[in-house]
mmCIF file of all heavy atoms in Angstrom:
data_model
loop_
_atom_site.group_PDB
_atom_site.id
_atom_site.type_symbol
_atom_site.label_atom_id
_atom_site.label_comp_id
_atom_site.label_asym_id
_atom_site.label_seq_id
_atom_site.Cartn_x
_atom_site.Cartn_y
_atom_site.Cartn_z
ATOM 1 N N LYS A 624 169.115 -46.491 116.344
ATOM 2 C CA LYS A 624 169.747 -47.565 117.104
ATOM 3 C C LYS A 624 170.727 -47.001 118.134
ATOM 4 O O LYS A 624 170.786 -47.468 119.264
ATOM 5 C CB LYS A 624 170.441 -48.542 116.172
ATOM 6 C CG LYS A 624 170.966 -49.776 116.867
ATOM 7 C CD LYS A 624 171.355 -50.831 115.858
ATOM 8 C CE LYS A 624 171.786 -52.097 116.526
ATOM 9 N NZ LYS A 624 170.720 -52.857 117.142
ATOM 10 N N VAL A 625 171.472 -45.983 117.743
ATOM 11 C CA VAL A 625 172.421 -45.349 118.666
ATOM 12 C C VAL A 625 171.677 -44.773 119.878
ATOM 13 O O VAL A 625 172.153 -44.876 121.008
ATOM 14 C CB VAL A 625 173.237 -44.243 117.947
ATOM 15 C CG1 VAL A 625 173.947 -43.343 118.937
ATOM 16 C CG2 VAL A 625 174.228 -44.866 116.984
ATOM 17 N N LEU A 626 170.517 -44.201 119.650
ATOM 18 C CA LEU A 626 169.773 -43.576 120.739
ATOM 19 C C LEU A 626 169.042 -44.585 121.629
ATOM 20 O O LEU A 626 168.504 -44.214 122.669
ATOM 21 C CB LEU A 626 168.786 -42.546 120.199
ATOM 22 C CG LEU A 626 169.418 -41.281 119.631
ATOM 23 C CD1 LEU A 626 168.348 -40.370 119.045
ATOM 24 C CD2 LEU A 626 170.244 -40.554 120.673
ATOM 25 N N GLU A 627 169.033 -45.872 121.241
ATOM 26 C CA GLU A 627 168.400 -46.888 122.091
ATOM 27 C C GLU A 627 169.122 -47.025 123.424
ATOM 28 O O GLU A 627 168.508 -47.302 124.443
ATOM 29 C CB GLU A 627 168.359 -48.240 121.368
ATOM 30 C CG GLU A 627 167.348 -48.298 120.263
ATOM 31 C CD GLU A 627 167.398 -49.602 119.486
ATOM 32 O OE1 GLU A 627 168.172 -50.507 119.846
ATOM 33 O OE2 GLU A 627 166.656 -49.701 118.491
ATOM 34 N N THR A 628 170.431 -46.867 123.412
ATOM 35 C CA THR A 628 171.210 -46.833 124.640
ATOM 36 C C THR A 628 171.525 -45.371 124.899
ATOM 37 O O THR A 628 172.257 -44.748 124.131
ATOM 38 C CB THR A 628 172.531 -47.626 124.484
ATOM 39 O OG1 THR A 628 172.220 -48.963 124.130
ATOM 40 C CG2 THR A 628 173.332 -47.597 125.768
ATOM 41 N N PRO A 629 170.953 -44.798 125.950
ATOM 42 C CA PRO A 629 171.126 -43.354 126.161
ATOM 43 C C PRO A 629 172.600 -42.946 126.208
ATOM 44 O O PRO A 629 173.376 -43.506 126.982
ATOM 45 C CB PRO A 629 170.459 -43.110 127.521
ATOM 46 C CG PRO A 629 169.484 -44.224 127.668
ATOM 47 C CD PRO A 629 170.120 -45.405 126.986
ATOM 48 N N PRO A 630 172.975 -42.008 125.357
ATOM 49 C CA PRO A 630 174.356 -41.522 125.388
ATOM 50 C C PRO A 630 174.580 -40.621 126.604
ATOM 51 O O PRO A 630 173.635 -40.031 127.129
ATOM 52 C CB PRO A 630 174.481 -40.718 124.088
ATOM 53 C CG PRO A 630 173.082 -40.295 123.772
ATOM 54 C CD PRO A 630 172.184 -41.370 124.304
ATOM 55 N N ASP A 631 175.829 -40.526 127.043
ATOM 56 C CA ASP A 631 176.160 -39.615 128.138
ATOM 57 C C ASP A 631 175.996 -38.169 127.708
ATOM 58 O O ASP A 631 175.601 -37.319 128.500
ATOM 59 C CB ASP A 631 177.601 -39.826 128.608
ATOM 60 C CG ASP A 631 177.816 -41.191 129.233
ATOM 61 O OD1 ASP A 631 176.870 -41.722 129.841
ATOM 62 O OD2 ASP A 631 178.931 -41.717 129.099
ATOM 63 N N LEU A 632 176.312 -37.898 126.435
ATOM 64 C CA LEU A 632 176.341 -36.535 125.947
ATOM 65 C C LEU A 632 175.812 -36.456 124.523
ATOM 66 O O LEU A 632 176.159 -37.277 123.678
ATOM 67 C CB LEU A 632 177.786 -36.007 125.976
ATOM 68 C CG LEU A 632 178.026 -34.578 125.541
ATOM 69 C CD1 LEU A 632 177.327 -33.598 126.489
ATOM 70 C CD2 LEU A 632 179.519 -34.296 125.481
ATOM 71 N N ILE A 633 174.982 -35.463 124.267
ATOM 72 C CA ILE A 633 174.487 -35.174 122.919
ATOM 73 C C ILE A 633 174.978 -33.776 122.566
ATOM 74 O O ILE A 633 174.720 -32.818 123.305
ATOM 75 C CB ILE A 633 172.947 -35.234 122.849
ATOM 76 C CG1 ILE A 633 172.462 -36.641 123.205
ATOM 77 C CG2 ILE A 633 172.458 -34.804 121.469
ATOM 78 C CD1 ILE A 633 170.970 -36.751 123.387
ATOM 79 N N VAL A 634 175.704 -33.666 121.454
ATOM 80 C CA VAL A 634 176.284 -32.388 121.048
ATOM 81 C C VAL A 634 175.678 -31.963 119.722
ATOM 82 O O VAL A 634 175.724 -32.706 118.746
ATOM 83 C CB VAL A 634 177.821 -32.492 120.915
ATOM 84 C CG1 VAL A 634 178.415 -31.143 120.538
ATOM 85 C CG2 VAL A 634 178.442 -33.008 122.211
ATOM 86 N N SER A 635 175.111 -30.782 119.705
ATOM 87 C CA SER A 635 174.596 -30.175 118.484
ATOM 88 C C SER A 635 175.618 -29.137 118.043
ATOM 89 O O SER A 635 175.951 -28.219 118.799
ATOM 90 C CB SER A 635 173.243 -29.515 118.771
ATOM 91 O OG SER A 635 172.814 -28.758 117.666
ATOM 92 N N VAL A 636 176.134 -29.287 116.812
ATOM 93 C CA VAL A 636 177.209 -28.418 116.344
ATOM 94 C C VAL A 636 176.771 -27.629 115.129
ATOM 95 O O VAL A 636 176.453 -28.204 114.092
ATOM 96 C CB VAL A 636 178.475 -29.237 115.993
ATOM 97 C CG1 VAL A 636 179.596 -28.315 115.537
ATOM 98 C CG2 VAL A 636 178.915 -30.078 117.177
ATOM 99 N N GLY A 637 176.737 -26.305 115.268
ATOM 100 C CA GLY A 637 176.546 -25.408 114.141
ATOM 101 C C GLY A 637 175.267 -25.601 113.363
ATOM 102 O O GLY A 637 175.255 -25.459 112.155
ATOM 103 N N THR A 638 174.208 -25.915 114.031
ATOM 104 C CA THR A 638 172.934 -26.090 113.332
ATOM 105 C C THR A 638 171.834 -25.425 114.113
ATOM 106 O O THR A 638 171.918 -25.274 115.329
ATOM 107 C CB THR A 638 172.611 -27.588 113.140
ATOM 108 O OG1 THR A 638 171.354 -27.688 112.451
ATOM 109 C CG2 THR A 638 172.510 -28.316 114.456
ATOM 110 N N SER A 639 170.797 -25.023 113.429
ATOM 111 C CA SER A 639 169.623 -24.515 114.135
ATOM 112 C C SER A 639 168.750 -25.677 114.574
ATOM 113 O O SER A 639 167.771 -25.494 115.275
ATOM 114 C CB SER A 639 168.834 -23.557 113.238
ATOM 115 O OG SER A 639 168.422 -24.234 112.068
ATOM 116 N N ALA A 640 169.130 -26.888 114.157
ATOM 117 C CA ALA A 640 168.438 -28.113 114.561
ATOM 118 C C ALA A 640 166.938 -28.044 114.280
ATOM 119 O O ALA A 640 166.126 -28.446 115.079
ATOM 120 C CB ALA A 640 168.722 -28.414 116.026
ATOM 121 N N MET A 641 166.594 -27.558 113.109
ATOM 122 C CA MET A 641 165.191 -27.390 112.754
ATOM 123 C C MET A 641 164.509 -28.701 112.388
ATOM 124 O O MET A 641 163.298 -28.754 112.330
ATOM 125 C CB MET A 641 165.048 -26.408 111.594
ATOM 126 C CG MET A 641 165.523 -25.025 111.944
ATOM 127 S SD MET A 641 165.295 -23.781 110.638
ATOM 128 C CE MET A 641 165.521 -24.648 109.118
ATOM 129 N N PHE A 642 165.271 -29.744 112.136
ATOM 130 C CA PHE A 642 164.680 -31.006 111.728
ATOM 131 C C PHE A 642 164.359 -31.850 112.951
ATOM 132 O O PHE A 642 165.152 -31.918 113.886
ATOM 133 C CB PHE A 642 165.622 -31.752 110.780
ATOM 134 C CG PHE A 642 165.948 -30.948 109.547
ATOM 135 C CD1 PHE A 642 167.143 -30.257 109.453
ATOM 136 C CD2 PHE A 642 165.034 -30.850 108.525
ATOM 137 C CE1 PHE A 642 167.429 -29.495 108.327
ATOM 138 C CE2 PHE A 642 165.310 -30.095 107.398
ATOM 139 C CZ PHE A 642 166.511 -29.407 107.302
ATOM 140 N N PRO A 643 163.220 -32.514 112.972
ATOM 141 C CA PRO A 643 162.814 -33.276 114.158
ATOM 142 C C PRO A 643 163.831 -34.311 114.620
ATOM 143 O O PRO A 643 164.019 -34.492 115.819
ATOM 144 C CB PRO A 643 161.514 -33.951 113.719
ATOM 145 C CG PRO A 643 160.987 -33.103 112.621
ATOM 146 C CD PRO A 643 162.200 -32.539 111.925
ATOM 147 N N TYR A 644 164.501 -34.968 113.692
ATOM 148 C CA TYR A 644 165.462 -35.984 114.115
ATOM 149 C C TYR A 644 166.694 -35.362 114.772
ATOM 150 O O TYR A 644 167.404 -36.038 115.509
ATOM 151 C CB TYR A 644 165.858 -36.920 112.968
ATOM 152 C CG TYR A 644 166.522 -36.265 111.773
ATOM 153 C CD1 TYR A 644 167.894 -36.087 111.730
ATOM 154 C CD2 TYR A 644 165.765 -35.860 110.684
ATOM 155 C CE1 TYR A 644 168.505 -35.506 110.635
ATOM 156 C CE2 TYR A 644 166.363 -35.290 109.577
ATOM 157 C CZ TYR A 644 167.725 -35.100 109.558
ATOM 158 O OH TYR A 644 168.328 -34.531 108.474
ATOM 159 N N ILE A 645 166.949 -34.099 114.540
ATOM 160 C CA ILE A 645 168.037 -33.400 115.221
ATOM 161 C C ILE A 645 167.526 -32.801 116.525
ATOM 162 O O ILE A 645 168.154 -32.930 117.574
ATOM 163 C CB ILE A 645 168.645 -32.300 114.328
ATOM 164 C CG1 ILE A 645 169.296 -32.924 113.099
ATOM 165 C CG2 ILE A 645 169.644 -31.461 115.109
ATOM 166 C CD1 ILE A 645 169.758 -31.922 112.068
ATOM 167 N N ALA A 646 166.377 -32.178 116.481
ATOM 168 C CA ALA A 646 165.842 -31.497 117.653
ATOM 169 C C ALA A 646 165.356 -32.459 118.729
ATOM 170 O O ALA A 646 165.478 -32.175 119.923
ATOM 171 C CB ALA A 646 164.693 -30.579 117.230
ATOM 172 N N GLY A 647 164.842 -33.601 118.343
ATOM 173 C CA GLY A 647 164.243 -34.533 119.297
ATOM 174 C C GLY A 647 165.114 -34.869 120.485
ATOM 175 O O GLY A 647 164.701 -34.691 121.640
ATOM 176 N N PRO A 648 166.340 -35.359 120.270
ATOM 177 C CA PRO A 648 167.176 -35.720 121.410
ATOM 178 C C PRO A 648 167.652 -34.520 122.227
ATOM 179 O O PRO A 648 168.117 -34.676 123.346
ATOM 180 C CB PRO A 648 168.383 -36.421 120.772
ATOM 181 C CG PRO A 648 167.960 -36.772 119.401
ATOM 182 C CD PRO A 648 166.913 -35.788 119.005
ATOM 183 N N ILE A 649 167.551 -33.321 121.668
ATOM 184 C CA ILE A 649 167.942 -32.127 122.412
ATOM 185 C C ILE A 649 166.774 -31.640 123.265
ATOM 186 O O ILE A 649 166.926 -31.334 124.444
ATOM 187 C CB ILE A 649 168.423 -31.023 121.444
ATOM 188 C CG1 ILE A 649 169.685 -31.494 120.728
ATOM 189 C CG2 ILE A 649 168.674 -29.718 122.192
ATOM 190 C CD1 ILE A 649 170.099 -30.646 119.573
ATOM 191 N N VAL A 650 165.593 -31.590 122.681
ATOM 192 C CA VAL A 650 164.413 -31.143 123.413
ATOM 193 C C VAL A 650 163.988 -32.187 124.445
ATOM 194 O O VAL A 650 163.590 -31.852 125.557
ATOM 195 C CB VAL A 650 163.252 -30.832 122.438
ATOM 196 C CG1 VAL A 650 161.971 -30.503 123.188
ATOM 197 C CG2 VAL A 650 163.635 -29.681 121.507
ATOM 198 N N HIS A 651 164.087 -33.450 124.085
ATOM 199 C CA HIS A 651 163.707 -34.559 124.975
ATOM 200 C C HIS A 651 164.870 -35.544 125.057
ATOM 201 O O HIS A 651 164.793 -36.643 124.509
ATOM 202 C CB HIS A 651 162.462 -35.269 124.448
ATOM 203 C CG HIS A 651 161.297 -34.367 124.247
ATOM 204 N ND1 HIS A 651 160.593 -33.821 125.288
ATOM 205 C CD2 HIS A 651 160.715 -33.893 123.117
ATOM 206 C CE1 HIS A 651 159.618 -33.058 124.806
ATOM 207 N NE2 HIS A 651 159.679 -33.078 123.487
ATOM 208 N N PRO A 652 165.959 -35.171 125.741
ATOM 209 C CA PRO A 652 167.105 -36.080 125.799
ATOM 210 C C PRO A 652 166.770 -37.345 126.581
ATOM 211 O O PRO A 652 165.951 -37.310 127.504
ATOM 212 C CB PRO A 652 168.177 -35.256 126.512
ATOM 213 C CG PRO A 652 167.432 -34.230 127.285
ATOM 214 C CD PRO A 652 166.171 -33.962 126.509
ATOM 215 N N PRO A 653 167.376 -38.458 126.206
ATOM 216 C CA PRO A 653 167.167 -39.679 126.983
ATOM 217 C C PRO A 653 167.600 -39.442 128.434
ATOM 218 O O PRO A 653 168.490 -38.635 128.695
ATOM 219 C CB PRO A 653 168.088 -40.703 126.303
ATOM 220 C CG PRO A 653 168.317 -40.166 124.930
ATOM 221 C CD PRO A 653 168.266 -38.681 125.067
ATOM 222 N N GLN A 654 166.942 -40.125 129.351
ATOM 223 C CA GLN A 654 167.243 -39.944 130.767
ATOM 224 C C GLN A 654 168.733 -40.158 131.024
ATOM 225 O O GLN A 654 169.320 -41.139 130.573
ATOM 226 C CB GLN A 654 166.435 -40.913 131.620
ATOM 227 C CG GLN A 654 166.591 -40.657 133.102
ATOM 228 C CD GLN A 654 165.629 -41.500 133.922
ATOM 229 O OE1 GLN A 654 164.830 -42.249 133.388
ATOM 230 N NE2 GLN A 654 165.715 -41.365 135.224
ATOM 231 N N GLY A 655 169.351 -39.217 131.707
ATOM 232 C CA GLY A 655 170.766 -39.295 132.029
ATOM 233 C C GLY A 655 171.680 -38.649 131.005
ATOM 234 O O GLY A 655 172.869 -38.502 131.255
ATOM 235 N N SER A 656 171.147 -38.261 129.852
ATOM 236 C CA SER A 656 171.967 -37.622 128.814
ATOM 237 C C SER A 656 172.050 -36.118 129.061
ATOM 238 O O SER A 656 171.065 -35.488 129.421
ATOM 239 C CB SER A 656 171.379 -37.857 127.427
ATOM 240 O OG SER A 656 171.369 -39.224 127.099
ATOM 241 N N ARG A 657 173.220 -35.565 128.849
ATOM 242 C CA ARG A 657 173.429 -34.118 128.924
ATOM 243 C C ARG A 657 173.512 -33.584 127.500
ATOM 244 O O ARG A 657 173.838 -34.328 126.569
ATOM 245 C CB ARG A 657 174.729 -33.802 129.672
ATOM 246 C CG ARG A 657 174.844 -34.405 131.066
ATOM 247 C CD ARG A 657 173.882 -33.834 132.028
ATOM 248 N NE ARG A 657 174.229 -32.430 132.219
ATOM 249 C CZ ARG A 657 173.799 -31.699 133.221
ATOM 250 N NH1 ARG A 657 173.027 -32.213 134.115
ATOM 251 N NH2 ARG A 657 174.141 -30.441 133.323
ATOM 252 N N THR A 658 173.224 -32.298 127.322
ATOM 253 C CA THR A 658 173.218 -31.707 125.982
ATOM 254 C C THR A 658 174.091 -30.456 125.925
ATOM 255 O O THR A 658 174.112 -29.655 126.862
ATOM 256 C CB THR A 658 171.789 -31.349 125.543
ATOM 257 O OG1 THR A 658 171.195 -30.497 126.524
ATOM 258 C CG2 THR A 658 170.935 -32.595 125.372
ATOM 259 N N ILE A 659 174.800 -30.324 124.811
ATOM 260 C CA ILE A 659 175.625 -29.144 124.545
ATOM 261 C C ILE A 659 175.302 -28.654 123.138
ATOM 262 O O ILE A 659 175.165 -29.444 122.209
ATOM 263 C CB ILE A 659 177.135 -29.468 124.631
ATOM 264 C CG1 ILE A 659 177.523 -29.872 126.052
ATOM 265 C CG2 ILE A 659 177.969 -28.274 124.173
ATOM 266 C CD1 ILE A 659 178.981 -30.281 126.178
ATOM 267 N N ASP A 660 175.221 -27.351 122.992
ATOM 268 C CA ASP A 660 175.005 -26.724 121.692
ATOM 269 C C ASP A 660 176.211 -25.837 121.402
ATOM 270 O O ASP A 660 176.581 -25.003 122.233
ATOM 271 C CB ASP A 660 173.723 -25.884 121.731
ATOM 272 C CG ASP A 660 173.482 -25.124 120.448
ATOM 273 O OD1 ASP A 660 173.651 -25.709 119.375
ATOM 274 O OD2 ASP A 660 173.116 -23.936 120.525
ATOM 275 N N ILE A 661 176.830 -26.047 120.243
ATOM 276 C CA ILE A 661 177.943 -25.204 119.807
ATOM 277 C C ILE A 661 177.455 -24.397 118.626
ATOM 278 O O ILE A 661 177.216 -24.940 117.549
ATOM 279 C CB ILE A 661 179.171 -26.059 119.413
ATOM 280 C CG1 ILE A 661 179.640 -26.894 120.604
ATOM 281 C CG2 ILE A 661 180.287 -25.165 118.887
ATOM 282 C CD1 ILE A 661 180.691 -27.928 120.250
ATOM 283 N N ASN A 662 177.258 -23.104 118.856
ATOM 284 C CA ASN A 662 176.707 -22.252 117.816
ATOM 285 C C ASN A 662 176.940 -20.797 118.223
ATOM 286 O O ASN A 662 176.630 -20.430 119.353
ATOM 287 C CB ASN A 662 175.207 -22.518 117.658
ATOM 288 C CG ASN A 662 174.651 -21.987 116.359
ATOM 289 O OD1 ASN A 662 174.991 -20.885 115.942
ATOM 290 N ND2 ASN A 662 173.790 -22.750 115.731
ATOM 291 N N PRO A 663 177.466 -19.968 117.329
ATOM 292 C CA PRO A 663 177.714 -18.573 117.697
ATOM 293 C C PRO A 663 176.431 -17.755 117.880
ATOM 294 O O PRO A 663 176.490 -16.630 118.361
ATOM 295 C CB PRO A 663 178.557 -18.023 116.546
ATOM 296 C CG PRO A 663 178.273 -18.923 115.409
ATOM 297 C CD PRO A 663 177.940 -20.272 115.986
ATOM 298 N N GLU A 664 175.294 -18.330 117.544
ATOM 299 C CA GLU A 664 174.026 -17.615 117.692
ATOM 300 C C GLU A 664 173.051 -18.430 118.533
ATOM 301 O O GLU A 664 173.045 -19.659 118.488
ATOM 302 C CB GLU A 664 173.399 -17.361 116.318
ATOM 303 C CG GLU A 664 174.256 -16.491 115.426
ATOM 304 C CD GLU A 664 173.613 -16.249 114.078
ATOM 305 O OE1 GLU A 664 172.389 -16.459 113.943
ATOM 306 O OE2 GLU A 664 174.337 -15.847 113.152
ATOM 307 N N ASN A 665 172.235 -17.734 119.284
ATOM 308 C CA ASN A 665 171.128 -18.404 119.964
ATOM 309 C C ASN A 665 170.075 -18.757 118.916
ATOM 310 O O ASN A 665 169.933 -18.069 117.906
ATOM 311 C CB ASN A 665 170.517 -17.498 121.024
ATOM 312 C CG ASN A 665 171.424 -17.313 122.216
ATOM 313 O OD1 ASN A 665 172.283 -18.136 122.481
ATOM 314 N ND2 ASN A 665 171.241 -16.230 122.940
ATOM 315 N N HIS A 666 169.347 -19.843 119.161
ATOM 316 C CA HIS A 666 168.290 -20.259 118.251
ATOM 317 C C HIS A 666 167.204 -20.954 119.057
ATOM 318 O O HIS A 666 167.264 -20.968 120.295
ATOM 319 C CB HIS A 666 168.845 -21.131 117.115
ATOM 320 C CG HIS A 666 169.662 -22.281 117.596
ATOM 321 N ND1 HIS A 666 169.119 -23.485 117.965
ATOM 322 C CD2 HIS A 666 171.002 -22.401 117.805
ATOM 323 C CE1 HIS A 666 170.078 -24.298 118.362
ATOM 324 N NE2 HIS A 666 171.223 -23.670 118.279
ATOM 325 N N ASP A 667 166.226 -21.536 118.391
ATOM 326 C CA ASP A 667 165.065 -22.109 119.075
ATOM 327 C C ASP A 667 165.416 -23.179 120.106
ATOM 328 O O ASP A 667 164.698 -23.362 121.080
ATOM 329 C CB ASP A 667 164.076 -22.697 118.066
ATOM 330 C CG ASP A 667 163.386 -21.631 117.242
ATOM 331 O OD1 ASP A 667 163.464 -20.441 117.613
ATOM 332 O OD2 ASP A 667 162.766 -21.980 116.225
ATOM 333 N N LEU A 668 166.503 -23.906 119.901
ATOM 334 C CA LEU A 668 166.852 -24.984 120.824
ATOM 335 C C LEU A 668 167.765 -24.552 121.965
ATOM 336 O O LEU A 668 167.962 -25.300 122.913
ATOM 337 C CB LEU A 668 167.501 -26.138 120.060
ATOM 338 C CG LEU A 668 166.588 -26.824 119.057
ATOM 339 C CD1 LEU A 668 167.329 -27.933 118.348
ATOM 340 C CD2 LEU A 668 165.356 -27.371 119.743
#
């Protein structure tokens, strides 16, 4: 429901985001949404 209205910003914090419900909005963000990843390591996303 939250993702029905595109957020301005999607922040992924400290995860490899391996689960589809986490990775989905990062790989395919809603139009107009920006994405930030906070993680000391690079990963698939």
Side-chain angles (χ1 to χ4, degrees):
K624 187 167 184 72
V625 165
L626 290 176
E627 287 175 4
T628 302
D631 295 328
L632 182 64
I633 298 170
V634 182
S635 171
V636 181
T638 180
S639 59
M641 297 183 326
F642 301 100
Y644 61 88
I645 296 172
I649 296 168
V650 174
H651 304 289
Q654 187 172 358
S656 297
R657 305 293 294 197
T658 55
I659 295 177
D660 176 44
I661 300 170
N662 197 318
E664 298 180 18
N665 289 337
H666 52 85
D667 291 346
L668 296 179

